[in-house]
Amino acid sequence: MSGERDVSFDPKEHQHLRYNPLRDSWVLVSAHRMKRPWAGQVEKPPEEHIPRYDPKNPLCPGNTRANGKVNPDYDSTFLFENDFPALQPDAPDPGVDQHPLFQTRAARGICKVMCFHPWSDVTLPLMKKQEVVKVVDKWVEILEELGATYPWVQIFENKGAMMGCSNPHPHCQVWASNFLPNEPALSDRCQRNYFEKHGEPLLLEYARQEAERKDRVVVENFAWLAVVPYWATWPYQTLLLPRRHVLRLTDLTTEEREGLADIMKQLLTKYDNLFEVSFPYSMGWHGAPTGPHLKEDNSHWQLHAHYYPPLLRSATVKKFMVGYEMLAQEQRDLTPEQVTQMFPQKFIYF
Ligand SMILES: O=C1CCN([C@@H]2O[C@H](COP(=O)(O)O)[C@@H](O)[C@H]2O)C(=O)N1
């Protein structure tokens, strides 16, 4: 393998590997596979008519939740402790097994649910920009509060029944843990290694490069840009990046928070226009670890958000991360550059 590019190589036609520097792993890109016939599973299209208020929905204002608590008649964001938490502040310690192959650790934390809006029939792209700014402000507030003690606060949104979202009301979840979960721990190692080798944050250089190269930029504004990452695994995966070096959501200026609300509305509107459905995804924020790490040097970190949508070729055909992806490595059919071109250039958003 000479390392020289073969003049006949065409990434849209010829399989190749791409390196994901945030996970130290390789993705197999086989764009030509998109042409294969599909007789596999077809999902139900996303539920179109969702009532603005459902007296039975435990996330709606004034309604009673599973544990008997009554929600306030909230008119903006609303945060409550998850009634079915995966992590609780206190739990008996599992003890330590001396055998290296049977290790256990105590897991403690707190799980919250955050409603974005009182209405069930809106999504972030359909909310007014100022209402989305309130969501960003609440994320910052939660991170400030839980990040004071917990080393990791995972803000994440499962959107759409296809992504296992159990309730159509616009909301996200926040799980704070007394441990650094696998994905942020891997990302921390990768960003630290890059910083030690190159002297600057990996994702700051990456954002500069993508802003210059342009062929994977989905949408950008003065403070942010959203790209289909060069190493994207999920077909329509995007990465949301600040242009400035920012460690955590709590470090954003007021203008950057407004810019974030703007770029999220633009990105999510483009997603909704892809297949003309309310686009399903799981998204989450990764910033420098918190709690005891607040007093450490985390200059290798750059705040960013991952959007992982499940769809492959239409509103009802999903990408399945099975078989080769589980046993060998991640594989994708379209190139990130082809996907970038599929996002509508012209779109209306308010
Ligand atoms: O009465 C309820 C209903 C749902 N929930 C919680 O709301 C969360 C909804 O989030 P998901 O749609 O991402 O599953 C879910 O974790 C569920 O446990 C309550 O805490 N109380």
Side-chain angles (χ1 to χ4, degrees), residues 131-188:
E131 293 174 323
V132 182
V133 171
K134 289 207 174 91
V135 170
V136 175
D137 289 343
K138 198 67 181 173
W139 281 341
V140 171
E141 188 186 308
I142 297 171
L143 186 62
E144 197 86 62
E145 180 203 333
L146 298 178
T149 45
Y150 289 103
W152 191 257
V153 180
Q154 185 58 62
I155 294 170
F156 67 96
E157 178 191 3
N158 295 324
K159 180 183 171 238
M162 207 186 284
M163 285 316 276
C165 172
S166 63
N167 190 304
H169 191 89
H171 70 280
C172 70
Q173 295 197 53
V174 186
W175 294 12
S177 56
N178 69 333
F179 55 90
L180 195 57
N182 299 334
E183 285 300 308
L186 175 58
S187 180
D188 180 60

Side-chain angles (χ1 to χ4, degrees), residues 101-126:
L101 296 181
F102 297 89
Q103 297 188 44
T104 56
R105 280 196 194 153
R108 295 191 177 86
I110 188 164
C111 295
K112 298 203 176 220
V113 182
M114 175 185 149
C115 296
F116 295 150
H117 195 282
W119 297 350
S120 296
D121 59 344
V122 292
T123 55
L124 280 174
L126 298 175

Side-chain angles (χ1 to χ4, degrees), residues 16 20 35 78 109 132 134 138 165 171 202 209 224 237-238 241 252 274 288 297 321 336:
H16 59 285
N20 180 342
K35 298 164 189 158
F78 168 52
V132 182
K134 289 207 174 91
K138 198 67 181 173
C165 172
H171 70 280
L202 186 164
Q209 285 290 328
W224 298 83
Q237 175 178 336
T238 52
L241 294 159
L252 293 175
L274 260 179
D297 175 5
M321 289 291 185

Side-chain angles (χ1 to χ4, degrees), residues 77-105:
T77 59
F78 168 52
L79 183 72
F80 63 90
E81 287 212 16
N82 199 314
D83 300 315
F84 310 91
L87 285 163
Q88 301 184 59
D90 44 23
D93 201 314
V96 176
D97 190 314
Q98 295 313 323
H99 193 293
L101 296 181
F102 297 89
Q103 297 188 44
T104 56
R105 280 196 194 153

Side-chain angles (χ1 to χ4, degrees), residues 42-348:
V42 173
E43 311 291 328
K44 257 182 347 105
E47 170 64 42
E48 282 311 317
H49 178 67
I50 294 162
R52 177 155 295 181
Y53 172 75
D54 172 356
K56 295 190 299 302
N57 187 328
L59 268 56
C60 285
N63 285 3
T64 304
R65 293 205 310 275
N67 67 355
K69 284 193 183 135
V70 180
N71 297 335
D73 199 15
Y74 63 94
D75 61 1
S76 173
T77 59
F78 168 52
L79 183 72
F80 63 90
E81 287 212 16
N82 199 314
D83 300 315
F84 310 91
L87 285 163
Q88 301 184 59
D90 44 23
D93 201 314
V96 176
D97 190 314
Q98 295 313 323
H99 193 293
L101 296 181
F102 297 89
Q103 297 188 44
T104 56
R105 280 196 194 153
R108 295 191 177 86
I110 188 164
C111 295
K112 298 203 176 220
V113 182
M114 175 185 149
C115 296
F116 295 150
H117 195 282
W119 297 350
S120 296
D121 59 344
V122 292
T123 55
L124 280 174
L126 298 175
M127 286 164 57
K128 294 190 183 71
K129 186 177 145 187
Q130 277 316 316
E131 293 174 323
V132 182
V133 171
K134 289 207 174 91
V135 170
V136 175
D137 289 343
K138 198 67 181 173
W139 281 341
V140 171
E141 188 186 308
I142 297 171
L143 186 62
E144 197 86 62
E145 180 203 333
L146 298 178
T149 45
Y150 289 103
W152 191 257
V153 180
Q154 185 58 62
I155 294 170
F156 67 96
E157 178 191 3
N158 295 324
K159 180 183 171 238
M162 207 186 284
M163 285 316 276
C165 172
S166 63
N167 190 304
H169 191 89
H171 70 280
C172 70
Q173 295 197 53
V174 186
W175 294 12
S177 56
N178 69 333
F179 55 90
L180 195 57
N182 299 334
E183 285 300 308
L186 175 58
S187 180
D188 180 60
R189 285 198 299 277
C190 291
Q191 290 182 82
R192 189 186 299 278
N193 293 343
Y194 183 91
F195 189 85
E196 284 166 1
K197 191 169 173 190
H198 300 278
E200 63 174 339
L202 186 164
L203 286 174
L204 198 59
E205 165 62 0
Y206 182 65
R208 266 201 301 270
Q209 285 290 328
E210 291 293 26
E212 275 168 33
R213 296 170 183 232
K214 293 269 182 243
D215 48 9
R216 282 172 297 272
V217 175
V218 174
V219 67
E220 57 184 323
N221 66 20
F222 72 99
W224 298 83
L225 73 160
V227 299
V228 179
Y230 179 76
W231 53 79
T233 302
W234 292 93
Y236 302 94
Q237 175 178 336
T238 52
L239 178 62
L240 185 50
L241 294 159
R243 293 181 189 276
R244 182 173 69 91
H245 187 197
V246 180
L247 295 191
R248 302 178 181 93
L249 281 168
T250 43
D251 301 320
L252 293 175
T253 63
T254 307
E255 293 74 25
E256 286 166 337
R257 292 189 197 186
E258 287 173 3
L260 176 55
D262 171 73
I263 201 92
M264 285 199 308
K265 272 178 65 73
Q266 290 194 60
L267 173 63
L268 299 177
T269 302
K270 283 200 167 194
Y271 265 136
D272 285 355
N273 281 279
L274 260 179
F275 298 130
E276 296 179 355
V277 287
S278 183
F279 211 67
Y281 58 75
S282 272
M283 70 76 64
W285 284 98
H286 277 182
T290 47
H293 303 286
L294 287 168
K295 54 183 183 300
E296 294 166 357
D297 175 5
N298 283 290
S299 346
H300 57 292
W301 266 90
Q302 174 70 341
L303 172 71
H304 56 286
H306 293 288
Y307 282 84
Y308 295 127
L311 296 180
L312 172 60
R313 52 171 82 183
S314 73
T316 55
V317 176
K318 282 184 12 174
K319 161 76 182 171
F320 286 88
M321 289 291 185
V322 292
Y324 189 80
E325 282 88 352
M326 292 170 131
L327 281 309
Q329 73 178 44
E330 294 152 339
Q331 181 273 340
R332 60 173 296 120
D333 298 346
L334 286 163
T335 65
E337 297 77 30
Q338 285 173 312
V339 164
T340 307
Q341 292 310 311
M342 291 171 69
F343 281 94
Q345 296 310 314
K346 299 238 177 311
F347 62 103
I348 316 284

